[in-house]
Amino acid sequence: MFKDKPAAGSAPWVSTATQHQRRLQRLSVTQTSDAPVHQPYLDSLAARGFTVTAVSKWLNAAVVTATPEKAAPLRQTSFVQDLQPITGFFVPTRTAALPYQALYMGKALKQLKPEAIFAASLTGRGVKVGVIDAGFYDAPNKSGLQPIFGDGRLKAYRDFVNPAKTQPYSQRESLLDSHGTDVLLFMAGSDPERQVLSGFAPEAEFYLARTDHGNRETRVEEEYFVQALEWMDSLGVRLVNSSLGYGTGFDNPQENYIPEQMDGTSFIARAVQMAVEQKGMMLVIAAGNDGGNKKWRIVNTPADAPGVLTVGATDFTTWAKQGYSSIGPGFLPYLKPDVACFAASGTSFAAPIIAGLAACLLEEDPSLTPQQLTDIIKKSSHLYPYGNNYVGYGVPNAFKALELVQGFSTLWPAKETVTVEGNRFVYKHKPSLLTEENGGIVLYRKESPTVVMAQQRLSLRKKRIVVKRKPKETHTTLHVGPTVVELVWE
């Protein structure tokens, strides 16, 4: 990382489209981080025998391949501010290949109560959406994606893994090359002939980036991701979805992260945070599928970054966390994941559902900042304000979210905090269709206001719910359909 950017040239250094997006959000159009890295610094590295594999103008940094011994003298170089190894790999939240099944995809949309979005004819029209993933093999031939390609709404594609690839949609390099295609279906899939809608934003404009090679996991993929973000920003992209994340399980085990490093300070997390806070880009990131991995369990980076909207996965009938869905680290000073929704086989397919909703809300009000939009989606969710590190604030409600964007809100069932003396609480429940349609009955037993010890699914037929306090339990969230009660144990 370099100390400065001398002789950066004339500002602004971004396109007119990017300038327009920033003015909408009252962000500074002229940002030093947009200026190119000082070329003499790069030339000096080359003269010293280093091969520069990537350059980041945002982080004012260059990536070189070198042994620690060879790189160490760079710390003494006058123009170098810091020298850090890149650790970890960039891997997609892996899942078995998923066929295009309308019933399954329909469930995710149905859970978010989408009728108000449909009634308002919101389809993400005109919103620039970026997707960073492992590949988009056969995307133009998918019935649900043909309108995007046929109508010219695929605006740009860049393969950072293999730039020389001439047929990005028909050449397969790994089994994960269709992962991004499936993600795109969950965000924008629409088949008018079959009358099937699998995503909220079928009329958005798309910018696709391939940054991951499914058959090998190398640290260069982190560089590709940052390059893809900067490329998308230069084109005025407002919203980015990614179902990729760093964690463990890589080719060289010595390069794995450890759980304590999921604290929002990794190389990729810092770039993502900059995209949100300085560039006005909203990022929706999958939480990861390590919830069942006892040695890990927590979200991967950059899902740990502050400011990004991290999405976990729930069941469909009962809105409890899916077993595989990663949880938020208890040591973070902020909540992760932020929200969650139904996905049968991976958080990769929960995140684009939420990203599609975000595109519709941006269509309604393009002036929304990432912080405002993230806050609206969280406030529309069924557990808000009683979030936890299993499902965040829960499942968003599209109707509520749209009302919040429009500046008004219907009176919804009140959330209630109850202080409980003793170790027992009784809640009387009248079984109804409302309970069934709004997530059933779930208990989140917590050792702090947000950290879950265990979740429990209860029968819908229960008329009398008895909650007995467990050792170390300080808070319990009782979710009964549209009603949420937060128990605080004394």
Side-chain angles (χ1 to χ4, degrees):
M1 298 186 179
F2 302 118
K3 289 182 178 179
D4 54 13
K5 288 183 175 181
S10 301
W13 298 280
V14 294
S15 67
T16 55
T18 302
Q19 293 176 48
H20 173 67
Q21 298 295 353
R22 290 182 185 176
R23 288 193 182 100
L24 276 176
Q25 301 177 70
R26 296 182 174 85
L27 293 170
S28 173
V29 172
T30 303
Q31 300 181 16
T32 306
S33 56
D34 294 321
V37 172
H38 192 45
Q39 187 61 42
Y41 292 168
L42 302 177
D43 295 340
S44 179
L45 292 177
R48 294 165 191 260
F50 293 99
T51 299
V52 177
T53 60
V55 176
S56 170
K57 58 183 181 181
W58 287 1
L59 300 176
N60 196 22
V63 180
V64 299
T65 302
T67 63
E69 293 76 17
K70 184 180 178 182
L74 288 175
R75 292 188 184 277
Q76 310 306 319
T77 307
S78 62
F79 56 82
V80 172
Q81 176 177 308
D82 195 13
L83 185 68
Q84 295 183 10
I86 297 177
T87 59
F89 292 79
F90 214 33
V91 296
T93 49
R94 296 175 182 271
T95 179
L98 187 70
Y100 185 85
Q101 299 175 7
L103 179 61
Y104 167 68
M105 295 183 183
K107 280 187 174 181
L109 290 179
K110 182 178 179 182
Q111 187 187 40
L112 270 64
K113 309 289 192 294
E115 292 78 13
I117 296 292
F118 299 156
S121 299
L122 294 173
T123 57
R125 189 181 298 106
V127 178
K128 295 185 175 184
V129 180
V131 182
I132 301 177
D133 217 285
F136 302 88
Y137 177 75
D138 206 33
N141 298 322
K142 294 289 184 180
S143 59
L145 299 179
Q146 286 174 355
I148 292 175
F149 291 85
D151 296 344
R153 284 182 287 101
L154 192 284
K155 297 299 184 180
Y157 176 96
R158 183 170 290 187
D159 190 332
F160 290 87
V161 178
N162 185 0
K165 195 173 181 180
T166 58
Q167 300 178 30
Y169 307 116
S170 59
Q171 291 178 332
R172 182 191 288 271
E173 293 185 51
S174 79
L175 293 177
L176 282 172
D177 276 0
S178 61
H179 187 273
T181 301
D182 292 330
V183 166
L184 195 55
L185 280 165
F186 279 86
M187 189 188 305
S190 174
D191 187 344
E193 184 176 333
R194 298 182 183 179
Q195 296 185 324
V196 171
L197 185 71
S198 58
F200 273 108
E203 294 191 318
E205 299 175 359
F206 290 94
Y207 300 74
L208 309 182
R210 178 177 180 247
T211 66
D212 183 273
H213 191 295
N215 287 345
R216 58 178 184 267
E217 305 306 337
T218 63
R219 53 184 73 171
V220 72
E221 290 170 355
E222 178 178 6
E223 305 163 25
Y224 296 156
F225 188 94
V226 177
Q227 289 179 340
L229 268 184
E230 294 185 4
W231 170 65
M232 289 177 177
D233 173 63
S234 74
L235 299 173
V237 170
R238 288 291 309 278
L239 172 66
V240 177
N241 180 92
S242 183
S243 293
L244 304 173
Y246 289 99
T248 61
F250 310 120
D251 297 349
N252 180 359
Q254 293 181 351
E255 297 295 338
N256 288 346
Y257 278 99
I258 60 174
E260 290 76 13
Q261 291 176 300
M262 301 297 100
D263 61 356
T265 62
S266 71
F267 178 78
I268 190 68
R270 287 158 58 193
V272 162
Q273 185 177 0
M274 183 179 289
V276 173
E277 295 179 355
Q278 297 184 26
K279 313 304 178 184
M281 303 170 77
M282 179 172 181
L283 274 81
V284 181
I285 308 290
N289 301 335
D290 288 313
N293 180 355
K294 293 182 180 180
K295 294 182 179 180
W296 189 264
R297 295 197 71 202
I298 60 173
V299 299
N300 296 321
T301 192
D304 62 331
V308 308
L309 189 71
T310 302
V311 183
T314 71
D315 292 338
F316 175 68
T317 303
T318 304
W319 296 353
K321 182 184 82 72
Q322 289 271 27
Y324 65 77
S325 186
S326 295
I327 66 175
F331 53 76
L332 285 179
Y334 44 84
L335 189 65
K336 291 293 174 183
D338 296 278
V339 296
C341 72
F342 173 68
S345 60
T347 57
S348 288
F349 307 124
I353 292 291
I354 303 301
L357 172 62
C360 292
L361 300 179
L362 274 176
E363 179 189 356
E364 177 69 14
D365 185 353
S367 70
L368 289 171
T369 67
Q371 294 85 352
Q372 290 171 329
L373 186 51
T374 296
D375 194 45
I376 283 168
I377 292 175
K378 289 193 290 190
K379 285 182 176 179
S380 78
S381 300
H382 81 285
L383 293 179
Y384 188 85
Y386 307 120
N388 63 61
N389 68 331
Y390 267 38
V391 296
Y393 291 105
V395 177
N397 182 304
F399 183 20
K400 290 184 185 179
L402 184 56
E403 283 196 332
L404 289 169
V405 169
Q406 295 171 340
F408 61 91
S409 181
T410 304
L411 289 176
W412 297 91
K415 311 292 174 65
E416 182 181 7
T417 301
V418 177
T419 301
V420 183
E421 296 181 359
N423 296 313
R424 188 172 180 270
F425 177 80
V426 179
Y427 181 86
K428 293 183 180 179
H429 166 240
K430 184 178 181 180
S432 70
L433 189 61
L434 277 178
T435 302
E436 183 177 348
E437 292 178 345
N438 289 277
I441 304 176
V442 185
L443 283 177
Y444 295 98
R445 298 183 177 274
K446 301 180 289 185
E447 60 186 33
S448 76
T450 60
V451 177
V452 177
M453 302 163 52
Q455 65 178 9
Q456 290 178 257
R457 301 170 176 83
L458 303 181
S459 169
L460 290 170
R461 295 191 294 270
K462 275 189 171 291
K463 295 183 178 180
R464 189 168 180 267
I465 301 170
V466 180
V467 183
K468 295 181 180 179
R469 183 183 186 184
K470 294 185 178 294
K472 299 183 179 180
E473 188 171 6
T474 63
H475 295 71
T476 304
T477 304
L478 175 60
H479 163 220
V480 185
T483 302
V484 176
V485 179
E486 182 75 358
L487 308 180
V488 180
W489 300 96
E490 286 196 341

